[in-house]
Each structure stands twice: as C-alpha cells, then as structure tokens.
C-alpha cells in the first residue's frame, strides 16, 4: 500500500516513446514511481481509477506533499514527507509512534533516505488547514541516495592536502552521519548538528 500511495503522491510524469518508458520529474519522486512500476503500480493507470483533483505542494518548511484523489465514495488524501514531521499528523499511540521512530532511525543509520507515507479517506474535503490532520500511517520507504561518483576520492584528496571538509545537507541527521562516515568526512570525535 505504501508503494501505491507514494507513487500517486508525486509530480513525476510517465511517458512512452519508441517502446520505452520514461519517467520525468524530481529524482526522489522518479524513484518512487519507478518502484511502483516494479510492483505493477502504474501511476497513469492509478490516476485513471482515482483522478488527482487537488494538492498541497511540497515545500522545504513543511517537508511534506499532499495529493487529493477522487473516488466513487469521496476522496483519498495521500501525504508523504519527512517522518519526524508526518508522524505528528497521524493517529498513533505513543508506543506506535516510538516504534516507527526507531525503525526510521535504523533505516537512516544505514544511509537510507526515509520517506513516510500516510492517508485518509473522506466523504467531503475538509478545510485546507485540516487536510493534513488525522492521517492513517501507512509505512516508511527507504531509498539509497548514493554520493556521486568520485566524491569519496575527492574528500580523501582534500584531507591529504590539509583541507577540512564539511557536509551540509537537508537529510535526516542519522542519514547524514552515515553518509559522511562512508565518505570519510565524519570521524570519531566529530560533531554533526541540526
């Protein structure tokens, strides 16, 4: 279900040209759509069944995106975003939330970029400020966002030349630390801050 909903909650487009499937959009969303295709979840077909009729676009302050889809019985609201933000919008017990946060941390420590997915079915659309409230948590999706080729070698060259390397990222702190360790930027005694 998480793959299906994440596929639908994207701005990526699928096109077919010369027998090839092309996915166009932002890399993270393209990866979600590509993952959906692996499970025969084609965004084009899903949109035929449940047309997208509204959205609240992603922005870096909210760290979430929401799409709204028309169903025969009402509307399906799908939200994806940063787990630490999205979990606060879901109906979860303290124990459930703690368990999901632990899973998120474990995934982040393995250098995975983690996206949370949640939804709700409504008969009629609530006011805009209430759309992203009282959601049902669906799952976490982890993806590898590998450093560009040659980065590890470049960091090593800089270190040998006496240049102190720092990393600035929008990733979750645990993910950033795992990647920085892999690149040789983060060493014992170093500090990672938000």
């Amino acid at each position: 279900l998480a793959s299906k909903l994440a596929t639908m909650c994207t701005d990526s487009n699928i096109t077919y040209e010369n027998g090839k499937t092309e996915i166009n959009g932002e890399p993270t969303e393209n990866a979600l759509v590509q993952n959906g295709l692996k499970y025969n979840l084609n965004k084009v077909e899903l949109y035929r069944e449940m047309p997208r009729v509204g959205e609240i676009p992603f922005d870096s302050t909210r760290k979430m995106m929401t799409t709204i889809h028309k169903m025969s019985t009402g509307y399906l609201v799908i939200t994806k975003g940063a787990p630490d933000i999205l979990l606060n919008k879901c109906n979860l017990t303290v124990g459930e939330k703690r368990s999901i946060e632990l899973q998120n941390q474990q995934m982040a420590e393995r250098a995975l970029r983690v996206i949370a997915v949640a939804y709700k079915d409504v008969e009629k659309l609530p006011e805009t400020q209430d759309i992203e409230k009282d959601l049902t948590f669906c799952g976490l999706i982890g993806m590898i966002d590998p450093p560009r080729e040659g980065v590890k070698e470049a960091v090593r060259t800089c270190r040998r030349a006496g240049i102190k390397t720092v990393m600035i990222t929008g990733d979750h702190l645990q993910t950033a630390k795992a990647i920085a360790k892999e690149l040789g930027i983060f060493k014992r005694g170093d500090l990672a801050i938000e």
Side-chain angles (χ1 to χ4, degrees), residues 41-190:
L41 299 167
N42 186 312
K43 181 179 175 178
V44 175
E45 293 169 12
L46 292 169
Y47 273 28
R48 272 192 213 117
E49 292 172 30
M50 293 173 273
R52 182 166 157 174
V53 295
E55 70 177 55
I56 302 174
F58 176 86
D59 79 48
S60 56
T61 305
R62 291 178 340 99
K63 295 184 180 182
M64 296 186 308
M65 173 185 181
T66 296
T67 57
I68 302 161
H69 304 267
K70 181 73 177 113
M71 300 187 311
S72 58
T73 56
Y75 298 91
L76 171 63
V77 175
I78 307 168
T79 303
K80 75 172 187 334
D84 52 324
I85 304 292
L86 188 54
L87 292 179
N88 294 324
K89 309 283 184 179
C90 296
N91 293 321
L92 295 166
T93 66
V94 172
E96 289 169 334
K97 185 177 178 194
R98 206 172 290 138
S99 174
I100 295 164
E101 288 170 338
L102 179 61
Q103 291 171 23
N104 176 43
Q105 183 175 338
Q106 290 169 344
M107 292 169 78
E109 287 171 354
R110 293 191 341 250
L112 295 176
R113 185 154 179 235
V114 185
I115 296 172
V117 183
Y119 71 97
K120 70 177 170 182
D121 294 314
V122 292
E123 287 181 21
K124 61 182 183 128
L125 288 178
E127 296 296 318
T128 303
Q129 69 270 13
D130 294 326
I131 290 175
E132 296 173 328
K133 289 182 181 172
D134 300 317
L135 300 169
T136 299
F137 175 76
C138 182
L140 298 174
I141 297 175
M143 59 183 70
I144 296 171
D145 191 7
R148 288 194 179 109
E149 202 173 304
V151 171
K152 192 171 186 175
E153 293 75 22
V155 168
R156 195 177 311 127
T157 301
C158 289
R159 189 174 292 279
R160 277 194 228 120
I163 299 169
K164 182 179 179 180
T165 307
V166 298
M167 184 173 93
I168 300 171
T169 179
D171 282 338
H172 184 278
L173 184 65
Q174 296 302 327
T175 304
K177 283 172 65 174
I179 293 169
K181 283 177 186 173
E182 182 182 319
L183 293 175
I185 295 171
F186 191 87
K187 302 281 187 193
R188 183 181 210 120
D190 285 347

